[in-house]
Amino acid sequence: ALKPLVVGASGFAYTVEWSLQGNPKPGYVGGMPGAALHLCQPRPHSRGGRSVIDVGHLVSFDGMGRGEVACWADCSCAPTRFDSHWKRQNSVGALKSVKVAWRDRGQPAQAAAADGPSSAHCGGCGLTVTVLNETSSNGHKVKIISLVSGLSGHGGDGAVVWMHNPKTKHPYGYEEIASEVWPRRTRRT
């Protein structure tokens, strides 16, 4: 469920499209350059460190555009671009991995873009997806469908599973239902 992670939008709207088989395909759609979707991924731990957040987006053959992900609030990342267009005559979900560095609690949060929400609106990693002016097709449509997070940098790799629960004490209605860290393999020389 992506909706509870959205903390602001300009030029993006929640839309449910339908597959030829009659299956719903919900997500946030932006179709004009400069449209911005602001998301907040819950913080999986209290220390700093590194992790990967995968931004799920629709890839299709007609009218699709390019987007860029930037980070703010309790994390930072290099701007990460993706292309939602391909030549195959079908539409599928794809993941774009964003490598983030988490700030230790107590460090000042990074501000969002001037037109974005304040860092007070996000107690985790703020991500802004912006529709770019450049395109490899005849359009600019970008559809965001999910956020997937994993852990890295705390003695191993791992994963965190979040579930939406409006009764939880987490400020955004999420609770961690499972997490696991696997030891890193050591290289033998």
Side-chain angles (χ1 to χ4, degrees):
L2 185 61
K3 264 185 164 181
L5 301 177
V6 175
V7 293
S10 174
F12 270 83
Y14 181 76
T15 305
V16 178
E17 298 168 316
W18 298 89
S19 72
L20 294 175
Q21 296 78 23
N23 297 319
K25 299 188 305 181
Y28 282 82
V29 175
M32 297 294 292
L37 179 66
H38 307 288
L39 305 154
C40 183
Q41 176 70 35
R43 186 180 191 97
H45 45 74
S46 60
R47 301 180 310 221
R50 299 190 180 282
S51 68
V52 174
I53 297 175
D54 292 309
V55 178
H57 62 100
L58 181 72
V59 177
S60 192
F61 57 95
D62 188 34
M64 303 305 287
R66 293 182 177 163
E68 182 175 86
V69 181
C71 297
W72 51 277
D74 286 348
C75 68
S76 61
C77 66
T80 306
R81 291 183 172 207
F82 62 91
D83 193 341
S84 292
H85 176 254
W86 69 353
K87 295 182 193 260
R88 296 179 186 167
Q89 297 291 306
N90 62 355
S91 302
V92 298
L95 295 174
K96 182 61 179 179
S97 294
V98 180
K99 296 178 182 177
V100 303
W102 290 87
R103 288 181 173 65
D104 286 323
R105 292 221 192 267
Q107 286 185 318
Q110 179 176 326
D115 60 344
S118 77
S119 57
H121 288 91
C122 181
C125 183
L127 298 133
T128 296
V129 179
T130 304
V131 177
L132 298 176
N133 192 40
E134 61 193 58
T135 182
S136 60
S137 73
N138 59 351
H140 292 92
K141 178 180 175 181
V142 170
K143 183 173 186 177
I144 303 302
I145 56 176
S146 66
L147 284 183
V148 181
S149 67
L151 292 177
S152 179
H154 292 289
D157 294 324
V160 176
V161 178
W162 295 91
M163 179 178 77
H164 186 248
N165 177 359
K167 296 179 182 176
T168 186
K169 292 181 183 177
H170 189 279
Y172 297 101
Y174 275 81
E175 65 180 314
E176 183 178 325
I177 60 171
S179 66
E180 187 171 349
V181 176
W182 306 292
R184 284 215 172 95
R185 294 181 187 184
T186 56
R187 293 184 180 175
R188 294 183 185 183
T189 56

